[in-house]
């Protein structure tokens, strides 16, 4: 009899907690669309397109490895409450987003699916010829997923976010259209400067630590001469680093590009052996930084890597990004 | 105008089809070739010969398949035994996949090359509404922070000794469990679960240098300690006699880089027996059994994790206090008249584990773990197991581990072991969020 009371008591407590939390959940809905973005740049784009109709939360921090973001309880809470979940997709976040979506149990996201803003990107590169772990740990069947570092990806992603927001709030379609169009104009203005920077960088040669800057390099006309990782996601081995040192000297590579998450000392030593220097390129926006600022910083860092400066003229000034 | 006699047969067919719940029958009227649903072709009283949207010869909609490998080379140094031993701790095959938007399921089949065991086979239903789920079948009981996943997936070298003693290396149970989580504010998640089980057997992989009383797979629904086995009768029983587990836990952000978790767990076994064999004064084997016993295990756990801004390094501190109450042990005893009997020890024993781990980067971590507990015996002799370990991940799917284990026991000989462990994961391998 004691055991029966114990079991019934446990169920009573469980049921009351469930009812309480259900009523809390019912109060959670609001008019403002809750958007959760996996990466800060995408969060910034969603804010620009959504304006005051959206409240945007972001999961990754500016210096984290995009493939291995550390999840915290607040991420589960925000994802559960979200009306829209935005990720790059293309298997960029596949190590941590599926588990987050499963644990957060958001039926709206489960039904509609996350918004994969990378899907349909027409210029995918480094598509693996064979799908095998012998080709690396970070094998992405659809191609290199780091499209978020391409300067022309901003407008592409903004339009995708606009379309999904319109489907969620049709009555605000005009507002989202206007916000997106205005943002595309600002992107186009900044892109003029990025193209002038790219003209200076054209023909330069780099080695990447991890192939996350391929799209940025392509946009700037920079030649990619390999990676310190022997295969995507596999830490550098001594033999491969020795091989890359020879290759860097033979090819005249002066810069090794690395993200903040990669080991600084290893990248510096490997670059020095090849007669180059390691340069940290931002992979995500920092706090308070817009996507346009972020792209500015990425381009300027590339200029500094070769001690280049953009000739002064009207386009050398940053445009206000209000 | 149609006569009633012309309408009635059609109406009868319509009503019959509706009563039988067969809209497909109606659909076939308008075109059996193009609308014939896959999955309903059957002969009377026989199973369907096709299920779902596939034939039995296509591999569409198959579950994800994964394999795991766990092997160790151990150098043991104790008064009881010395030397090297190479062990295949585990080879595991798993399959997981959705059955529908609200159902998913999977199983795990394990072997240590001597025995094969089905450690998990369960279906999960998530259609109750947001944040609630039900699982049914055989799955790991929801007790504490470290018992929810397989040993080979733990960051620490082994299941903490106190958990091995009181709950087993792994704790799969057959039953049903309800769980629900709720946000509290913006930074905290609270979750509870309640489970009912008809059986729950400690599952063994073999330890890494510690003392081990759990010998092999226990197919008899019980745990064995000192020749006396904890036994639950199979078959039907009252609801009140089923094993119950419950866990409540909350985890919250601490600043931008930390997570703190607190949890409490309970497992009650309301009706079980101790069984054992002893030799009487005539040198005859005599079987003993003590029935109608009950036992409960309670746990209280704390975990704190802190990571660097780039997420590549950090610290994890954790610990759990565990207490067993009720009929905790049975022992075959010889009294002064040389008659043997099975005595049951009713009381409390307790223990704890604590660990600290430092993630140096994304491929290396080291840590130390200490676990102290009182044995499930009347005298409750104490044992302390201390491990220091280093994990190296050459890739995301392979792990090398070097661990040194020291066991200080009041009851048995002290021992030291050096363990080199190799793990590999093939294909899809995943776990639910570890609450």
């Amino acid at each position: 009899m004691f055991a029966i009371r114990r079991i019934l008591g446990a169920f009573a407590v469980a049921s009351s907690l469930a009812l309480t939390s259900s009523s809390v959940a019912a109060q959670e809905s609001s008019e403002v669309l809750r958007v959760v973005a996996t990466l800060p740049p995408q969060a910034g784009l969603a804010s620009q397109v959504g304006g005051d109709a959206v409240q945007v939360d972001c999961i990754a921090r500016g210096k984290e490895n995009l493939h291995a973001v550390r999840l915290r309880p607040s991420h589960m809470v925000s994802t559960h409450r979200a009306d829209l979940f935005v990720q790059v997709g293309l298997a960029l976040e596949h190590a941590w987003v599926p588990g987050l979506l499963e644990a957060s149990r958001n039926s709206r996201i489960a039904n509609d699916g996350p918004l994969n803003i990378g899907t349909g990107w027409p210029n995918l590169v480094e598509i693996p010829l064979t799908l095998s772990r012998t080709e690396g740990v970070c094998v992405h069947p659809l191609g290199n997923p780091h499209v978020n570092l391409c300067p022309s990806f901003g407008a592409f992603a903004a339009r995708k976010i606009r379309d999904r927001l319109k489907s969620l709030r049709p009555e605000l379609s005009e507002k989202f259209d206007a916000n997106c169009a205005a943002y595309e104009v600002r992107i186009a203005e900044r892109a003029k400067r990025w193209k002038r920077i790219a003209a200076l960088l054209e023909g330069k040669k780099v080695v990447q630590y991890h192939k996350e800057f391929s799209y940025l390099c392509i946009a700037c006309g920079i030649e990619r001469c390999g990676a310190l990782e022997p295969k995507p996601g596999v830490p550098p081995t001594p033999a491969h680093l020795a091989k890359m040192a020879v290759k860097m000297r033979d090819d005249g590579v002066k810069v090794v590009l690395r993200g903040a998450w990669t080991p600084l000392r290893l990248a510096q030593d490997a670059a020095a052996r090849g007669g180059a220097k390691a340069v940290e390129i931002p992979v995500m926006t920092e706090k308070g930084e817009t996507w346009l600022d972020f792209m500015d910083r990425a381009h300027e860092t590339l200029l500094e890597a070769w001690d280049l400066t953009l000739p002064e003229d009207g386009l050398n000034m940053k445009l206000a990004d209000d | 105008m149609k006569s009633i006699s012309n309408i009635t047969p059609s109406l009868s067919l319509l009503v019959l089809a509706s009563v039988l719940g067969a809209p497909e029958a109606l659909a076939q009227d308008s075109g059996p070739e193009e609308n014939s649903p896959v999955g309903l072709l059957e002969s009377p009283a026989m199973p369907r010969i096709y299920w779902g949207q596939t034939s039995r010869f296509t591999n569409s909609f198959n579950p994800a398949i994964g394999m795991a490998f766990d092997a160790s080379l151990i150098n043991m140094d104790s008064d009881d035994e010395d030397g090297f031993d190479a062990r295949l701790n585990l080879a595991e095959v798993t399959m997981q996949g959705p059955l529908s938007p609200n159902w998913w399921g999977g199983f795990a089949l394990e072997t240590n090359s001597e025995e094969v065991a089905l450690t998990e086979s369960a279906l999960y239903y998530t259609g109750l509404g947001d944040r609630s789920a039900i699982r049914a079948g055989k799955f790991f009981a929801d007790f504490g922070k470290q018992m929810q996943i397989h040993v080979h997936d733990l960051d620490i070298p082994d299941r903490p000794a106190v958990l091995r003693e009181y709950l087993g290396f792994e704790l799969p149970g057959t039953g049903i469990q309800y769980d629900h989580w709720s946000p509290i504010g913006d930074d905290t998640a609270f979750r509870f679960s309640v489970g009912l089980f008809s059986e729950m057997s400690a599952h063994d992989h073999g330890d890494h240098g510690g003392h081990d009383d759990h010998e092999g797979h226990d197919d008899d629904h019980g745990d064995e300690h000192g020749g006396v086995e904890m036994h639950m009768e199979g078959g039907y029983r009252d609801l009140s006699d089923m094993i119950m587990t419950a866990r409540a836990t909350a985890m919250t952000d601490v600043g931008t880089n930390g997570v703190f978790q607190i949890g409490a767990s309970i497992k009650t076994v309301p009706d079980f027996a101790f069984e054992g064999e002893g030799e009487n004064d005539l040198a005859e084997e005599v079987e003993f059994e003590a029935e109608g016993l009950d036992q409960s295990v309670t746990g209280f756990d704390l975990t704190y994790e802190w990571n660097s801004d780039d997420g590549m390094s950090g610290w994890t501190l954790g610990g759990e206090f565990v207490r067993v109450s009720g009929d905790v042990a049975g022992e075959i005893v010889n009294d002064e008249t040389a008659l043997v009997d099975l005595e049951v020890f009713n009381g409390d024993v307790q223990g704890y584990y604590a660990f600290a781990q430092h993630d140096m980067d994304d491929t290396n971590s080291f840590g130390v773990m200490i676990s102290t507990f009182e044995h499930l015996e009347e005298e409750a002799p104490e044992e302390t197991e201390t491990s220091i370990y280093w994990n190296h991940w050459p890739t995301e799917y392979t792990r090398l581990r070097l661990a040194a284990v020291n066991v200080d026991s009041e009851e048995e000989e002290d021992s030291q072991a050096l363990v080199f462990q190799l793990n590999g994961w093939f294909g899809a391998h995943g776990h639910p969020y570890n609450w």
Side-chain angles (χ1 to χ4, degrees):
Chain A
M1 187 55 76
F2 171 71
I4 291 178
R5 284 201 302 269
R6 192 172 42 192
I7 292 168
L8 292 177
F11 272 114
V13 171
S15 302
S16 61
L17 285 168
L19 288 172
T20 304
S21 56
S22 298
S23 62
V24 170
Q27 295 167 5
E28 286 170 5
S29 62
S30 64
E31 290 303 311
V32 175
L33 281 170
R34 294 171 183 264
V35 179
V36 170
T38 53
L39 311 179
Q42 283 64 59
L45 291 171
S47 294
Q48 294 290 338
V49 176
D52 57 8
V54 300
Q55 175 192 318
V56 183
D57 289 312
C58 182
I59 294 175
R61 292 172 297 190
K63 294 183 182 300
E64 285 184 294
N65 179 351
L66 308 186
H67 299 306
V69 171
R70 300 266 187 173
L71 294 175
R72 288 178 286 134
S74 58
H75 300 144
M76 196 151 31
V77 173
S78 59
T79 302
H80 173 72
R81 291 171 172 164
D83 298 298
L84 172 60
F85 189 91
V86 180
Q87 64 173 346
V88 173
L90 302 171
L92 178 68
E93 305 103 328
H94 75 290
W96 48 282
V97 163
L100 173 66
L101 295 180
E102 181 192 328
S104 63
R105 291 178 189 163
N106 181 330
S107 56
R108 295 179 297 280
I109 304 300
N111 290 335
D112 297 340
L115 172 60
N116 301 310
I117 55 175
T119 301
W121 176 248
N123 305 313
L124 288 167
V125 298
E126 294 160 9
I127 299 170
L129 297 175
T130 57
L131 294 181
S132 166
R133 290 290 174 217
T134 59
E135 296 305 312
V137 173
C138 296
V139 178
H140 300 287
L142 300 172
N144 187 322
H146 295 277
V147 292
N148 54 314
L149 291 174
C150 182
S152 55
F153 184 67
F156 180 85
R159 281 181 225 127
K160 285 218 156 189
I161 293 170
R162 174 201 63 191
D163 292 344
R164 182 62 76 91
L165 289 176
K166 285 167 66 174
S167 72
L168 292 170
R169 286 283 190 278
E171 68 275 17
L172 299 177
S173 292
E174 287 185 12
K175 181 177 187 173
F176 296 140
D177 281 334
N179 288 347
C180 187
Y183 197 59
E184 285 189 60
V185 169
R186 296 218 298 278
I187 292 175
E189 287 296 321
R190 294 284 181 100
K192 292 174 187 171
R193 185 166 182 274
W194 301 335
K195 282 177 182 169
R196 294 187 67 239
I197 292 174
L200 294 175
L201 296 171
E202 188 164 5
K204 304 289 185 197
K205 295 179 179 179
V206 297
V207 161
Q208 305 177 70
Y209 185 101
H210 177 70
K211 291 182 179 176
E212 57 190 325
F213 306 108
S214 293
Y215 294 101
L216 183 61
C217 290
I218 292 168
C220 293
I222 297 172
E223 185 180 339
R224 295 161 286 147
C225 297
L228 296 186
E229 290 179 338
K231 299 276 186 178
V234 177
T237 59
H240 181 71
L241 290 177
K243 188 174 125 189
M244 288 307 298
V246 173
K247 183 171 175 57
M248 280 190 273
R249 290 191 183 279
D250 289 350
D251 292 352
V253 175
K254 298 298 179 191
V255 171
V256 172
L257 302 180
R258 58 173 286 269
W261 61 271
T262 59
L264 173 62
R265 182 84 178 269
L266 193 153
Q268 285 176 332
D269 289 348
R273 288 175 65 186
K277 64 179 177 181
V279 175
E280 180 184 321
I281 302 292
V283 295
M284 288 189 272
T285 52
E286 298 283 2
K287 197 170 185 181
E289 193 178 42
T290 67
W291 182 81
L292 294 172
D293 295 335
F294 160 66
M295 272 294 145
D296 274 339
R297 189 157 58 96
H299 282 83
E300 281 161 12
T301 309
L302 285 175
L303 273 182
E304 291 165 10
W306 280 276
D307 297 323
L308 297 171
T309 52
L310 198 60
E312 284 292 333
D313 63 21
L315 290 174
N316 196 24
M317 297 174 61
K318 281 191 198 174
L319 299 174
D321 184 36
D322 45 351
Chain B
M1 187 175 183
K2 288 184 178 179
S3 68
I4 292 177
S5 58
N6 289 335
I7 294 173
T8 304
S10 302
L11 195 62
S12 301
L13 282 173
L14 190 67
V15 170
L16 182 62
S18 303
V19 168
L20 293 176
E24 294 81 3
L26 297 174
Q28 288 185 4
D29 285 346
S30 60
E33 291 301 323
E34 62 269 26
N35 292 321
S36 177
V38 175
L40 293 178
L41 186 59
E42 56 186 319
S43 56
M46 294 303 288
R48 299 171 181 180
I49 62 170
Y50 286 108
W51 291 82
Q53 293 167 268
T54 67
S55 77
R56 60 192 171 129
F57 300 114
T58 70
N59 61 4
S60 302
F61 297 101
N62 273 350
I65 302 170
M67 288 182 284
F69 169 86
D70 179 2
S72 300
L73 179 65
I74 303 172
N75 176 230
M76 172 69 79
D77 180 13
S78 77
D79 291 342
D80 284 343
E81 49 185 349
D82 293 318
F84 288 89
D85 187 19
R87 294 181 184 174
L88 174 65
N89 303 314
L90 167 101
E92 176 194 74
V93 176
T94 59
M95 283 196 188
Q96 297 183 65
L99 286 79
S100 76
N102 290 325
W103 289 89
W104 68 275
F107 75 83
L109 200 61
E110 296 183 3
T111 179
N112 58 3
S113 79
E114 295 175 359
E115 296 175 302
V116 178
L118 183 70
T119 56
E120 289 184 89
S121 180
L123 294 183
Y124 299 71
Y125 180 67
T126 56
L128 290 171
D130 285 357
R131 304 194 301 267
S132 291
I134 289 179
R135 67 184 71 177
K138 188 171 187 177
F139 52 90
F140 279 18
D142 194 7
F143 189 102
K145 180 70 177 171
Q146 302 290 344
M147 291 301 294
Q148 301 168 31
I149 59 174
H150 293 245
V151 172
H152 61 272
D153 289 313
L154 292 172
D155 259 2
I156 48 183
D158 216 335
R159 195 78 70 188
V162 60
L163 298 180
R164 298 202 307 264
E165 175 74 5
Y166 296 164
L167 296 165
F169 277 81
E170 293 181 339
L171 195 58
T174 304
I176 186 168
Q177 178 183 297
Y178 170 81
D179 72 80
H180 181 86
W181 81 271
S182 303
I184 301 174
D186 292 334
D187 300 328
T188 303
F190 170 78
R191 188 245 199 191
F192 68 85
S193 69
V194 180
L196 278 178
F197 300 87
S198 61
E199 68 93 15
M200 189 175 286
S201 54
H203 175 69
D204 176 31
H205 285 166
D207 67 342
H208 291 149
H211 294 146
D212 177 19
D213 289 327
H214 302 275
E215 297 295 340
H217 296 299
D218 196 339
D219 295 325
D220 205 16
H221 304 177
D223 305 336
E224 186 175 322
H225 288 91
V228 176
E229 187 175 301
M230 185 176 178
H231 177 77
M232 285 193 73
E233 288 292 340
Y236 301 103
R237 72 190 63 184
D238 291 341
L239 188 65
S240 60
D241 289 337
M242 298 187 80
I243 300 170
M244 189 197 78
T245 64
R247 174 165 170 79
T249 181
M251 60 174 81
T252 186
D253 287 20
V254 180
T256 56
N257 294 30
V259 175
F260 175 73
Q261 181 175 8
I262 183 170
S265 311
I266 186 168
K267 169 197 167 196
T268 63
V269 188
D271 183 24
F272 71 94
F274 279 130
E275 293 181 344
E277 290 184 353
E279 198 173 83
N280 64 15
D281 54 347
L282 300 175
E284 297 170 330
E285 286 289 332
V286 183
E287 292 184 355
F288 296 94
E289 184 179 52
E291 296 179 306
L293 308 176
D294 70 271
Q295 182 189 95
S296 66
V297 186
T298 51
F300 177 75
D301 57 279
L302 298 169
T303 311
Y304 175 70
E305 182 182 88
W306 176 89
N307 297 300
S308 59
D309 285 340
D310 62 9
M312 306 305 282
S313 61
W315 286 89
T316 307
L317 309 173
E320 186 168 7
F321 172 81
V322 187
R323 183 186 186 92
V324 185
S325 303
D327 300 310
V328 300
E331 190 174 358
I332 304 290
V333 294
N334 290 298
D335 63 17
E336 294 174 350
T337 60
L339 295 173
V340 290
D341 197 4
L342 174 60
E343 283 191 359
V344 174
F345 167 47
N346 186 284
D348 301 311
V349 293
Q350 59 193 35
Y352 72 90
Y353 71 85
F355 72 96
Q357 178 173 306
H358 176 47
D359 294 335
M360 303 157 68
D361 52 40
D362 59 336
T363 59
N364 293 283
S365 63
F366 68 86
V368 58
M369 181 173 69
I370 183 167
S371 182
T372 297
F373 62 92
E374 297 171 322
H375 274 283
L376 292 167
E377 295 173 22
E378 185 169 7
E379 297 80 16
E382 275 196 15
E383 182 171 312
T384 298
E385 183 175 292
T386 309
S387 310
I388 55 173
Y389 59 95
W390 170 62
N391 297 323
H392 175 64
W393 296 79
T395 74
E396 192 177 333
Y397 309 106
T398 46
R399 181 182 62 200
L400 303 173
R401 175 183 281 149
L402 191 61
V405 184
N406 179 71
V407 177
D408 184 5
S409 174
E410 286 184 356
E411 183 187 41
E412 300 177 61
E413 299 294 338
D414 294 350
S415 67
Q416 293 78 41
L418 197 61
V419 181
F420 176 75
Q421 188 179 3
L422 172 63
N423 293 83
W425 288 267
F426 308 81
H429 191 89
H431 296 274
Y433 195 79
N434 191 25
W435 291 90

